[in-house]
Amino acid sequence: MTFQQVSEPYDAYDVLVVGGSGVDTIVPVGALPVPPADSHPVAPIREWAGHTGTGVALGCAALGLTTGFVDFIGDDPPGALVRERLAGTGVDFRPLVSPHGTRRAVNLVAPDGRRMSFYDGRDPLDLRMPPEHYLPVLRRTRHVHLSITHFARFLYDDIEALGLPVSTDLHDWDGLTDHHREFAFRSDLVFLSTAGAGERIGQVMREILRQGRARAVVATAGAGGAYLLTPDDRSPRPVPAAVPPGPVVDSNGAGDAFVCGFLHGLLAGRQLADCARLGAVAGAYACTSPGTHTALIGPEGLRGVVPEPATAAEPAGQSLRPTPP
């Protein structure tokens, strides 16, 4: 791997995103599941810079948050596509080049916007980001968002030593797969979808709170809205789905947009329930254009969704930090 020559980091970040860049190949299909056949004629297949880290970084920057992004990409055409997409967006992208190449995914998208993703997690288990690359920017951030790429788990000790709040997105975790556990139990704010756990989602959310350090868990349910659980709740609180501002054409990136809307509210000092409502609006907005991370809501799109905070915003994530012993 080699270091990239990049500019000095910003004086401070609102959000530092770690890991999760890549390229999505979007294949429009007539229905999901796809009927068995040797071949299917489809509409034009497109490639987009995507994946969860890219989406969170782009979405946070579009909402006016000063955003940093560190990750590995390849010295290859997909890596160039990621660089091109992030250029000029306000995201301070500070990549390292990995000889293993840029991550890929093939996403099948149905006419109703539902998708099925085939993810290429090509990073080897021994891949590590050198502390001299991430520590200078980690020390300058208010909030860290870790993608569940394997190398990112090795930043937790430094994040905790610096006393920084950290969020993560477990995506469709079933509550059982070992890969996700450390992310689930060492993060202050945990997002996941209901797709993996199904009817067990409430149990999985409670387990995250019971076994980990999280002060809030949010489960997104697509058109069904979302659920919020904190230590003060007896059961997950439903969060109503937001009405999209146009026809739903592609749900790629909706979960990432939800995270961005939530963090936008959190860093402005809003209550967690209001943050979840902002997330729902941002997620619905993302479903109204084809491709990945092509419809990014701005601050004006969230204005008036929830009341302005009554007092000045507290230091980022203060309400999410565990109570000191």
Side-chain angles (χ1 to χ4, degrees), residues 237-313:
R237 285 180 265 169
V239 179
V243 177
V248 173
V249 296
D250 193 337
S251 62
N252 280 297
D256 302 326
F258 187 107
V259 170
C260 297
F262 194 105
L263 293 181
H264 174 74
L266 181 68
L267 295 173
R270 289 184 168 86
Q271 298 295 314
L272 294 174
D274 288 341
C275 294
R277 291 176 59 196
L278 293 171
V281 171
Y285 187 93
C287 295
T288 59
S289 71
T292 308
H293 315 316
T294 54
L296 301 172
I297 197 168
E300 66 284 351
L302 297 182
R303 192 166 293 122
V305 173
V306 298
E308 293 294 328
T311 58

Side-chain angles (χ1 to χ4, degrees), residues 20 27 76 89 129 140 142 145 148 171 175 199 265 277 285:
V27 183
D76 50 24
T89 62
M129 181 167 283
R140 288 179 166 92
R142 299 171 61 199
H145 182 80
I148 56 172
H171 303 288
E199 295 181 356
R277 291 176 59 196
Y285 187 93

